[in-house]
Amino acid sequence: MLRLYDTRLREVVDIVPVKPGILSIYACGPTVYKPQHVGNLRSSLFPDLIGRVASWHGLQVRFVQNITDVGHLDEESGEDKMIAEAQRRGLSPLEIAREIEALFKADGEALGYRPAMAHPRATEYVPQMIAMTEKLIELGHAYESGGSVWYDARSFDSYGEVSNNRIDELDAGASGRLSSEEESLKRFHADWALWRGVGFTDEAVTFDSPWGRGVPGWHIECSAMSLDLLGDAIDIHTGGIDLRFPHHEDERAQSNPVAGKDVIHHWVHGEHLLSDGKKMAKSTGNVVLLSDVVERGLDPLAVRLFFLTAHYRTQSNLTWKALEDADKRLQVLRRKVAEWAESPSAPVADAYVERVVAAFDDDLSTPAALAALSELVRDPAVSPGSKFETAVKLDRLFGLDLMRHVGQPPPALPAGAREKLAERETARAAKDFATSDRLRDELAAVGVKVADTPDGQAWTLA
């Protein structure tokens, strides 16, 4: 059984689907104004892994990930990100949105992410957002002021349970930076916008509503889309740790009164990906796109393997060396699987399958799962045929396309190099490092560069 850390409960809990046999997952998707950097893409690995584990256990997965193409404010300037980027590029917001949405989906495919059941766009759910806002006003959780509608933060008794914030300790602007004109319309400084009718004049990016023309607030988007597509009992809601507050806190406060109960059963968050020791962000100049990785000649799935080397609840520091090492390790695994495929088939090594599955079940402990896979690679007691069947079966969880080189002719090597590589591997297994170093130098002399990974030696032709 899968167990995950529930942010609201602050403990690891069993994930028991509300509907037997079906696991529902909602994940906050991208704001499609710029390409997603690999830090953003790490957040999308999270629901992919949960879905893979759930499928392994025979559950049907209903996964929805939204597309924010209107209504998300820049934390520093207070501008709508879509509108600001459209003005900068001289395009319409929807032109930019569709371009970046396509890039996001292509990146996900390159990283082995299984597609969502639906990718609802905010612009296509405005009627549902308006209806939900009207319901919140009717229930006494929201109020209209100056053509905008605000959620009354003090009306929701359990506000703060997800983020561990106290409403009386929140600063002004905690739920999003607004203009002084908009701030003056609120009754309480921690209230947030469900509908914004101030400061928007572009007909192409505004919508009619009972309160006048405007745009929806950011937080109401996910409430409306998740309730519409997954209903009022959703097993898991995922996102990056930065969405815990205010986005998920506000989302919960909006959805629960309308549904009359707790809609999300488990809130699960992943930590930041650092780049050279700092949070990856445009403002720090350390953004890495998946296209940058490909331009360096690295396999996109090396990024996935790098993600798996750290637990999702820990920060991970991305460097180019780390990605290059992950790429080498990935190539080693694929070459070994291709070699094992040439041997007679043998039964799966159940003990290793059980260890890997147990690691995934244990709050997605991917480092432990990779360690078990490495032990399988090196275990002389497991036949090559069994290693092949086991690795292929486990790749349903890892998602590394380990079969990539099966059936392909092995790369051409200088005469005698393949024998020296095999001899060197034997020497390293016997901890005969003097022989290992000598063979590495001999291989380098004939144009074969060798590096060592947790799963064996990787080589490239100079």
Side-chain angles (χ1 to χ4, degrees), residues 261-306:
K261 61 181 181 180
D262 248 323
V263 173
I264 306 299
H265 285 230
H266 303 289
W267 295 91
V268 189
H269 296 91
E271 259 292 356
H272 291 303
L273 177 69
L274 305 180
S275 178
D276 291 324
K278 299 178 182 178
K279 180 183 175 183
M280 192 174 292
K282 181 179 67 174
S283 58
T284 57
N286 62 349
V287 164
V288 177
L289 305 179
L290 193 61
S291 58
D292 298 328
V293 175
V294 174
E295 285 175 8
R296 291 212 177 197
L298 304 179
D299 192 308
L301 287 177
V303 176
R304 183 184 181 100
L305 178 54
F306 170 77

Side-chain angles (χ1 to χ4, degrees), residues 362-427:
D362 182 20
D363 196 24
L364 299 179
S365 297
T366 53
L370 283 174
L373 181 62
S374 293
E375 286 187 36
L376 169 70
V377 171
R378 300 190 301 265
D379 192 342
V382 181
S383 71
S386 179
K387 288 181 179 181
F388 172 77
E389 299 293 345
T390 307
V392 170
K393 183 172 184 176
L394 291 175
D395 203 31
R396 288 166 49 194
L397 294 172
F398 290 112
L400 296 172
D401 193 14
L402 296 181
M403 290 271 287
R404 174 81 62 87
H405 298 324
V406 171
Q408 297 180 3
L413 284 167
R418 196 170 298 279
E419 291 75 15
K420 287 182 183 295
L421 285 167
E423 186 181 349
R424 184 176 183 273
E425 199 165 63
T426 301

Side-chain angles (χ1 to χ4, degrees), residues 177-186 198:
R177 184 181 297 275
L178 299 171
S179 67
S180 57
E181 181 182 4
E182 286 186 285
E183 286 289 348
S184 69
L185 299 175
K186 299 194 297 185
V198 175

Side-chain angles (χ1 to χ4, degrees), residues 123-332:
T123 51
E124 297 169 355
Y125 272 77
V126 173
Q128 290 90 333
M129 296 175 207
I130 291 173
M132 191 170 184
T133 299
E134 290 177 315
K135 183 66 174 179
L136 288 168
I137 293 174
E138 178 188 327
L139 293 170
H141 286 281
Y143 58 93
E144 188 271 339
S145 177
S148 295
V149 180
W150 308 92
Y151 190 98
D152 182 355
R154 292 173 292 184
S155 72
F156 189 66
D157 292 340
S158 62
Y159 190 82
E161 284 191 2
V162 175
S163 60
N164 204 27
N165 281 308
R166 291 176 54 89
I167 196 166
D168 55 354
E169 295 176 352
L170 294 177
D171 296 328
S175 282
R177 184 181 297 275
L178 299 171
S179 67
S180 57
E181 181 182 4
E182 286 186 285
E183 286 289 348
S184 69
L185 299 175
K186 299 194 297 185
R187 294 175 183 170
F188 181 63
H189 68 267
D191 294 350
W192 64 89
L194 300 175
W195 187 264
R196 301 177 65 215
V198 175
F200 297 96
T201 58
D202 190 338
E203 291 288 314
V205 292
T206 56
F207 306 85
D208 288 323
S209 80
W211 316 284
R213 200 154 179 89
V215 298
W218 174 35
H219 313 301
I220 194 68
E221 297 179 4
C222 284
S223 287
M225 289 186 277
S226 61
L227 283 169
D228 184 74
L229 289 168
L230 292 175
D232 61 5
I234 300 171
D235 294 308
I236 300 171
H237 194 314
T238 74
I241 195 69
D242 53 322
L243 296 182
R244 180 180 52 181
F245 183 86
H247 187 48
H248 289 166
E249 198 70 75
D250 294 357
E251 190 183 330
R252 178 173 180 266
Q254 295 161 168
S255 299
N256 286 9
V258 171
K261 61 181 181 180
D262 248 323
V263 173
I264 306 299
H265 285 230
H266 303 289
W267 295 91
V268 189
H269 296 91
E271 259 292 356
H272 291 303
L273 177 69
L274 305 180
S275 178
D276 291 324
K278 299 178 182 178
K279 180 183 175 183
M280 192 174 292
K282 181 179 67 174
S283 58
T284 57
N286 62 349
V287 164
V288 177
L289 305 179
L290 193 61
S291 58
D292 298 328
V293 175
V294 174
E295 285 175 8
R296 291 212 177 197
L298 304 179
D299 192 308
L301 287 177
V303 176
R304 183 184 181 100
L305 178 54
F306 170 77
F307 289 160
L308 295 174
T309 60
H311 191 271
Y312 75 91
R313 285 196 289 119
T314 63
Q315 291 186 344
S316 181
N317 186 37
L318 180 77
T319 65
W320 283 110
K321 183 181 184 308
L323 282 180
E324 289 163 1
D325 288 346
D327 188 75
K328 292 172 184 173
R329 185 176 183 182
L330 180 61
Q331 300 313 317
V332 167

Side-chain angles (χ1 to χ4, degrees), residues 335 339 409-422 443-444 446-450 457-462:
R335 283 175 182 159
E339 290 170 7
L413 284 167
R418 196 170 298 279
E419 291 75 15
K420 287 182 183 295
L421 285 167
L443 285 161
V446 295
V448 181
K449 184 178 179 181
V450 182
Q457 60 188 0
W459 55 265
T460 55
L461 294 175

